[in-house]
Amino acid sequence: MEELKGYDQMMARYYEKMNNYSLPLLSWEFYGEHHTTLESFKDDLSTLKKLTKNWEFTRNYSKEFVEEQSVIVITNPNLKIVYASQNIRDLNGYSPEEVIGNSPKMFQGKGTCAETSAKVRNAVNNHTPFEVTILNYRKDLTSYQCIIKGFPVHDKKGKLINYIAFEKAA
């Protein structure tokens, strides 16, 4: 052990000159969880960056996704799901692969309010943004209140190419 004493002293002097500060052990868990959360978003953010490169869309979807932890669902103009973020599994039990190609109506059921559905349909038909809270159903058929913020997406020439929805449980 004596042979390592000189090394320890040298490293201590080196770290004293640096501007970084050590964190208390209690902080490690918090920062570790935050890092793990960001890592889980990495693949989704990479895919979203590719999907949105031709969009004329000003809303910060990555802030909505990472900070608000909203689920992102993207449909084509015919309202078929073309993308769902990985955290959809936490919201309703479906994997992204299970929902792609389906209509978002797959989350609705007998208790879903027809008036709210009509409001969404009207906004989609008129290419206008909407925000609603609607009764949706998980894969296991339990219901949940879902806050949906939906937006039409145009390309740089103004052509409607997608709809994007930010969803989370109320």
Side-chain angles (χ1 to χ4, degrees):
M1 284 301 227
E2 191 62 34
E3 59 271 2
L4 296 177
K5 187 175 182 182
Y7 174 78
D8 286 343
Q9 291 172 345
M10 178 191 70
M11 290 309 293
R13 285 190 301 274
Y14 171 76
Y15 284 119
E16 284 175 1
K17 295 176 187 174
M18 295 181 72
N19 287 331
N20 62 350
Y21 302 96
S22 60
L23 295 173
L25 285 174
L26 292 174
S27 298
W28 289 7
E29 184 176 343
F30 170 77
Y31 287 106
E33 286 177 13
H34 182 68
H35 178 73
T36 302
T37 301
L38 289 176
E39 274 296 309
S40 69
F41 293 139
K42 186 172 74 173
D43 291 338
D44 280 313
L45 288 171
S46 174
T47 302
L48 283 165
K49 187 174 182 178
K50 291 174 190 170
L51 283 172
T52 61
K53 68 181 176 189
N54 293 320
W55 285 14
E56 191 65 36
F57 188 68
T58 57
R59 190 170 185 92
N60 187 344
Y61 64 83
S62 55
K63 178 182 177 194
E64 188 78 42
F65 183 54
V66 175
E67 291 179 24
E68 299 295 324
Q69 296 190 8
S70 296
V71 169
I72 296 179
V73 176
I74 299 173
T75 68
N76 64 19
N78 298 325
L79 299 182
K80 295 296 180 195
I81 298 171
V82 296
Y83 172 81
S85 56
Q86 293 293 323
N87 59 350
I88 194 169
R89 203 180 312 256
D90 299 330
L91 180 66
N92 60 26
Y94 288 100
S95 71
E97 297 78 22
E98 291 176 291
V99 302
I100 291 175
N102 291 302
S103 165
K105 286 185 179 265
M106 72 180 283
F107 307 121
Q108 298 178 5
K110 62 181 178 182
T112 302
C113 176
E115 191 175 304
T116 305
S117 291
K119 182 179 178 183
V120 171
R121 190 171 30 262
N122 186 42
V124 167
N125 289 341
N126 291 311
H127 303 184
T128 57
F130 65 90
E131 184 171 346
V132 297
T133 300
I134 193 166
L135 184 71
N136 274 352
Y137 290 84
R138 294 180 183 89
K139 187 175 180 179
D140 67 6
L141 302 180
T142 58
S143 62
Y144 65 101
Q145 292 290 324
C146 186
I147 301 168
I148 305 172
K149 296 182 223 172
F151 302 89
V153 178
H154 300 88
D155 66 11
K156 295 179 191 242
K157 295 179 182 176
K159 179 183 174 192
L160 177 71
I161 55 172
N162 292 107
Y163 290 94
I164 186 169
F166 304 104
E167 303 181 10
K168 55 199 279 187

PDB file of all heavy atoms in Angstrom, residues 120-132:
ATOM      1  N   VAL A 120     -62.196  15.836 -32.081  1.00  0.00           N
ATOM      2  CA  VAL A 120     -60.903  15.460 -32.663  1.00  0.00           C
ATOM      3  C   VAL A 120     -61.045  15.297 -34.171  1.00  0.00           C
ATOM      4  O   VAL A 120     -60.235  15.815 -34.948  1.00  0.00           O
ATOM      5  CB  VAL A 120     -60.362  14.160 -32.021  1.00  0.00           C
ATOM      6  CG1 VAL A 120     -59.139  13.647 -32.772  1.00  0.00           C
ATOM      7  CG2 VAL A 120     -60.042  14.381 -30.551  1.00  0.00           C
ATOM      8  N   ARG A 121     -62.071  14.582 -34.596  1.00  0.00           N
ATOM      9  CA  ARG A 121     -62.302  14.346 -36.028  1.00  0.00           C
ATOM     10  C   ARG A 121     -62.470  15.669 -36.782  1.00  0.00           C
ATOM     11  O   ARG A 121     -61.923  15.866 -37.855  1.00  0.00           O
ATOM     12  CB  ARG A 121     -63.529  13.457 -36.221  1.00  0.00           C
ATOM     13  CG  ARG A 121     -63.733  12.953 -37.616  1.00  0.00           C
ATOM     14  CD  ARG A 121     -64.827  11.887 -37.750  1.00  0.00           C
ATOM     15  NE  ARG A 121     -65.932  11.947 -36.807  1.00  0.00           N
ATOM     16  CZ  ARG A 121     -66.043  11.203 -35.690  1.00  0.00           C
ATOM     17  NH1 ARG A 121     -65.110  10.355 -35.368  1.00  0.00           N
ATOM     18  NH2 ARG A 121     -67.089  11.318 -34.909  1.00  0.00           N
ATOM     19  N   ASN A 122     -63.212  16.616 -36.192  1.00  0.00           N
ATOM     20  CA  ASN A 122     -63.417  17.924 -36.800  1.00  0.00           C
ATOM     21  C   ASN A 122     -62.088  18.675 -36.944  1.00  0.00           C
ATOM     22  O   ASN A 122     -61.809  19.277 -37.983  1.00  0.00           O
ATOM     23  CB  ASN A 122     -64.414  18.732 -35.973  1.00  0.00           C
ATOM     24  CG  ASN A 122     -64.778  20.033 -36.630  1.00  0.00           C
ATOM     25  OD1 ASN A 122     -64.998  20.096 -37.841  1.00  0.00           O
ATOM     26  ND2 ASN A 122     -64.855  21.093 -35.829  1.00  0.00           N
ATOM     27  N   ALA A 123     -61.248  18.637 -35.907  1.00  0.00           N
ATOM     28  CA  ALA A 123     -59.942  19.305 -35.960  1.00  0.00           C
ATOM     29  C   ALA A 123     -59.058  18.668 -37.036  1.00  0.00           C
ATOM     30  O   ALA A 123     -58.402  19.382 -37.798  1.00  0.00           O
ATOM     31  CB  ALA A 123     -59.258  19.236 -34.600  1.00  0.00           C
ATOM     32  N   VAL A 124     -59.078  17.359 -37.115  1.00  0.00           N
ATOM     33  CA  VAL A 124     -58.277  16.655 -38.125  1.00  0.00           C
ATOM     34  C   VAL A 124     -58.774  17.003 -39.527  1.00  0.00           C
ATOM     35  O   VAL A 124     -57.975  17.306 -40.418  1.00  0.00           O
ATOM     36  CB  VAL A 124     -58.313  15.129 -37.880  1.00  0.00           C
ATOM     37  CG1 VAL A 124     -57.777  14.363 -39.081  1.00  0.00           C
ATOM     38  CG2 VAL A 124     -57.534  14.776 -36.619  1.00  0.00           C
ATOM     39  N   ASN A 125     -60.079  16.998 -39.712  1.00  0.00           N
ATOM     40  CA  ASN A 125     -60.646  17.332 -41.029  1.00  0.00           C
ATOM     41  C   ASN A 125     -60.320  18.761 -41.458  1.00  0.00           C
ATOM     42  O   ASN A 125     -60.167  19.041 -42.645  1.00  0.00           O
ATOM     43  CB  ASN A 125     -62.154  17.131 -41.036  1.00  0.00           C
ATOM     44  CG  ASN A 125     -62.540  15.664 -40.981  1.00  0.00           C
ATOM     45  OD1 ASN A 125     -61.738  14.791 -41.282  1.00  0.00           O
ATOM     46  ND2 ASN A 125     -63.763  15.390 -40.573  1.00  0.00           N
ATOM     47  N   ASN A 126     -60.211  19.660 -40.466  1.00  0.00           N
ATOM     48  CA  ASN A 126     -59.923  21.065 -40.762  1.00  0.00           C
ATOM     49  C   ASN A 126     -58.435  21.410 -40.643  1.00  0.00           C
ATOM     50  O   ASN A 126     -58.060  22.573 -40.737  1.00  0.00           O
ATOM     51  CB  ASN A 126     -60.741  21.972 -39.837  1.00  0.00           C
ATOM     52  CG  ASN A 126     -62.214  21.902 -40.160  1.00  0.00           C
ATOM     53  OD1 ASN A 126     -62.600  22.020 -41.321  1.00  0.00           O
ATOM     54  ND2 ASN A 126     -63.035  21.685 -39.148  1.00  0.00           N
ATOM     55  N   HIS A 127     -57.616  20.394 -40.388  1.00  0.00           N
ATOM     56  CA  HIS A 127     -56.162  20.574 -40.261  1.00  0.00           C
ATOM     57  C   HIS A 127     -55.805  21.603 -39.198  1.00  0.00           C
ATOM     58  O   HIS A 127     -54.931  22.445 -39.399  1.00  0.00           O
ATOM     59  CB  HIS A 127     -55.523  20.951 -41.590  1.00  0.00           C
ATOM     60  CG  HIS A 127     -55.783  19.979 -42.685  1.00  0.00           C
ATOM     61  ND1 HIS A 127     -55.219  20.105 -43.925  1.00  0.00           N
ATOM     62  CD2 HIS A 127     -56.533  18.852 -42.753  1.00  0.00           C
ATOM     63  CE1 HIS A 127     -55.627  19.125 -44.691  1.00  0.00           C
ATOM     64  NE2 HIS A 127     -56.428  18.353 -43.998  1.00  0.00           N
ATOM     65  N   THR A 128     -56.488  21.530 -38.058  1.00  0.00           N
ATOM     66  CA  THR A 128     -56.218  22.466 -36.960  1.00  0.00           C
ATOM     67  C   THR A 128     -55.747  21.697 -35.723  1.00  0.00           C
ATOM     68  O   THR A 128     -56.111  20.529 -35.533  1.00  0.00           O
ATOM     69  CB  THR A 128     -57.478  23.268 -36.598  1.00  0.00           C
ATOM     70  OG1 THR A 128     -58.532  22.371 -36.248  1.00  0.00           O
ATOM     71  CG2 THR A 128     -57.913  24.159 -37.748  1.00  0.00           C
ATOM     72  N   PRO A 129     -54.950  22.334 -34.886  1.00  0.00           N
ATOM     73  CA  PRO A 129     -54.512  21.683 -33.646  1.00  0.00           C
ATOM     74  C   PRO A 129     -55.696  21.470 -32.704  1.00  0.00           C
ATOM     75  O   PRO A 129     -56.720  22.144 -32.805  1.00  0.00           O
ATOM     76  CB  PRO A 129     -53.524  22.677 -33.036  1.00  0.00           C
ATOM     77  CG  PRO A 129     -53.186  23.635 -34.120  1.00  0.00           C
ATOM     78  CD  PRO A 129     -54.341  23.642 -35.066  1.00  0.00           C
ATOM     79  N   PHE A 130     -55.536  20.524 -31.790  1.00  0.00           N
ATOM     80  CA  PHE A 130     -56.583  20.280 -30.792  1.00  0.00           C
ATOM     81  C   PHE A 130     -55.934  19.798 -29.497  1.00  0.00           C
ATOM     82  O   PHE A 130     -54.806  19.316 -29.486  1.00  0.00           O
ATOM     83  CB  PHE A 130     -57.591  19.236 -31.292  1.00  0.00           C
ATOM     84  CG  PHE A 130     -57.005  17.862 -31.498  1.00  0.00           C
ATOM     85  CD1 PHE A 130     -56.985  16.924 -30.466  1.00  0.00           C
ATOM     86  CD2 PHE A 130     -56.461  17.501 -32.723  1.00  0.00           C
ATOM     87  CE1 PHE A 130     -56.437  15.672 -30.658  1.00  0.00           C
ATOM     88  CE2 PHE A 130     -55.915  16.243 -32.923  1.00  0.00           C
ATOM     89  CZ  PHE A 130     -55.899  15.323 -31.884  1.00  0.00           C
ATOM     90  N   GLU A 131     -56.670  19.963 -28.421  1.00  0.00           N
ATOM     91  CA  GLU A 131     -56.283  19.399 -27.129  1.00  0.00           C
ATOM     92  C   GLU A 131     -57.543  18.897 -26.449  1.00  0.00           C
ATOM     93  O   GLU A 131     -58.500  19.662 -26.282  1.00  0.00           O
ATOM     94  CB  GLU A 131     -55.566  20.429 -26.258  1.00  0.00           C
ATOM     95  CG  GLU A 131     -55.080  19.834 -24.956  1.00  0.00           C
ATOM     96  CD  GLU A 131     -54.175  20.772 -24.165  1.00  0.00           C
ATOM     97  OE1 GLU A 131     -53.695  21.774 -24.721  1.00  0.00           O
ATOM     98  OE2 GLU A 131     -53.950  20.469 -22.979  1.00  0.00           O
ATOM     99  N   VAL A 132     -57.537  17.627 -26.107  1.00  0.00           N
ATOM    100  CA  VAL A 132     -58.691  17.012 -25.463  1.00  0.00           C
ATOM    101  C   VAL A 132     -58.227  16.064 -24.363  1.00  0.00           C
ATOM    102  O   VAL A 132     -57.079  15.621 -24.357  1.00  0.00           O
ATOM    103  CB  VAL A 132     -59.568  16.212 -26.464  1.00  0.00           C
ATOM    104  CG1 VAL A 132     -60.163  17.107 -27.528  1.00  0.00           C
ATOM    105  CG2 VAL A 132     -58.804  15.060 -27.083  1.00  0.00           C
TER     106      VAL A 132
END
